[in-house]
Amino acid sequence: MESTLNAGIAMAEAMQNQLPWLEKVWLWVTFLGDPKNLYLFYFPAAYYASRRVGVAVLWISLITEWLNLVFKWLLFGDRPFWWVHESGYYGQAPAQVHQYPSSCETGPGSPSGHCMITGAALWPIMTAISSQVASRAHSRWVRMMPSLVYCTFLLAVGLSRIFLLAHFPHQVLSGLITGAVLGWLMAPRVPMERELSFYGLTSLALLLGASLIYWTLFTLGLDLSWSINLASKWCERPEWVHMDSRPFASLSRDSGAALGLGIALHSPCYAQVPPTKPKSCDLHTPGGSPMPS
């Protein structure tokens, strides 16, 4: 295993020292692949184009992010930016690598969340675009373009994570494969017509399930804060340590998104009504008449 990790450091070293002109590109790519952007940018854009695709992006994001959290608790996984110091492997000849503000995430490294979560959540967007293109284009290469763009983007995200010393190559590869498989499995099973109680129970299950796993591992003697301690110890600048990458930060986002999705889908503002009829979510005065615009 140590040789595998050493090969990952060598790859990051080559990318940083031999292709320095790509630095800004990798920084932008890792920003675009950040799972938080699924909630802030990708979900609203997808929802504007198609309600079903938008809901699919949000649903897959929150479920996959929760699974990534559990996988990291169970699989552990060092991150390169602290392993180069902790391992002692480079005691005689330090690796010629350096950190970036995006490097110092506090969670374990296996599997890559950028690759796994983003790969799964973008799957319904890719398949929806592929379906539209296939119905209009006759060229085989044109029909393949959405899939090629999807794969190219995820590959670039994975390389950016290696460049930043955030992940080793095997962590990126496991994230890519797991994300694509989860996206393929979950996209046809998006809950669009479920009761509000389903989303409330899902939110509660995510919260209690992760808490149960955490306390079970803690009771067994596993220190799940080990990665936070190493990130704080070896990050070059304290302000670079990303506290929002701590495990329970993503858990609160996932459980909140599940409940919020259910409330939104059952809101009277969500239902489509004919243009000639007043929407049931219009504001009304106490007397019952609509408020003047």
Side-chain angles (χ1 to χ4, degrees), residues 60-81:
I60 294 175
S61 296
L62 67 93
I63 297 297
T64 310
E65 188 170 45
W66 186 89
L67 290 172
N68 182 259
L69 165 66
V70 175
F71 288 163
K72 287 183 174 180
W73 278 344
L74 298 177
L75 299 177
F76 294 89
D78 289 294
R79 290 185 184 266
F81 79 89

Side-chain angles (χ1 to χ4, degrees), residues 64 67 71 111 115-116 120 172-184:
T64 310
L67 290 172
F71 288 163
C115 296
M116 175 178 166
V172 166
L173 182 61
S174 63
L176 290 173
I177 295 174
T178 307
V181 171
L182 287 173
W184 174 67

Side-chain angles (χ1 to χ4, degrees), residues 204-240:
L204 186 62
L206 295 177
L207 187 61
L208 295 181
S211 300
L212 179 61
I213 294 172
Y214 178 90
W215 286 111
T216 299
L217 296 175
F218 181 81
T219 303
L220 293 175
L222 298 177
D223 180 15
L224 297 181
S225 64
W226 66 276
S227 61
I228 300 174
N229 297 331
L230 288 176
S232 302
K233 179 180 179 181
W234 294 114
C235 190
E236 291 179 1
R237 299 185 184 181
E239 64 269 22
W240 287 358

Side-chain angles (χ1 to χ4, degrees), residues 151-183:
C151 294
T152 301
F153 176 67
L154 290 181
L155 177 61
V157 170
L159 291 174
S160 74
R161 304 304 287 163
I162 297 171
F163 174 85
L164 294 171
L165 300 181
H167 289 289
F168 289 99
H170 70 279
Q171 297 170 345
V172 166
L173 182 61
S174 63
L176 290 173
I177 295 174
T178 307
V181 171
L182 287 173

Side-chain angles (χ1 to χ4, degrees), residues 35-159:
K36 292 190 291 292
N37 289 333
L38 293 168
Y39 300 86
L40 296 175
F41 303 117
Y42 296 106
F43 159 63
Y47 187 86
Y48 179 80
S50 167
R51 288 191 175 192
R52 179 171 181 81
V53 175
V55 172
V57 170
L58 183 60
W59 177 257
I60 294 175
S61 296
L62 67 93
I63 297 297
T64 310
E65 188 170 45
W66 186 89
L67 290 172
N68 182 259
L69 165 66
V70 175
F71 288 163
K72 287 183 174 180
W73 278 344
L74 298 177
L75 299 177
F76 294 89
D78 289 294
R79 290 185 184 266
F81 79 89
W82 73 58
W83 185 82
V84 293
H85 303 288
E86 283 287 316
S87 65
Y89 198 84
Y90 294 93
Q92 297 293 331
Q96 301 301 310
V97 291
H98 53 276
Q99 300 174 12
Y100 294 87
S102 303
S103 302
C104 302
E105 296 191 4
T106 56
S110 295
S112 167
H114 276 63
C115 296
M116 175 178 166
I117 303 165
T118 303
L122 293 185
W123 182 274
I125 297 179
M126 182 271 292
T127 54
I129 296 176
S130 295
S131 177
Q132 291 293 322
V133 171
S135 64
R136 300 177 183 180
H138 300 287
S139 171
R140 175 184 176 186
W141 292 106
V142 173
R143 294 197 297 268
M144 290 177 60
M145 282 303 298
S147 299
L148 291 175
V149 171
Y150 170 83
C151 294
T152 301
F153 176 67
L154 290 181
L155 177 61
V157 170
L159 291 174

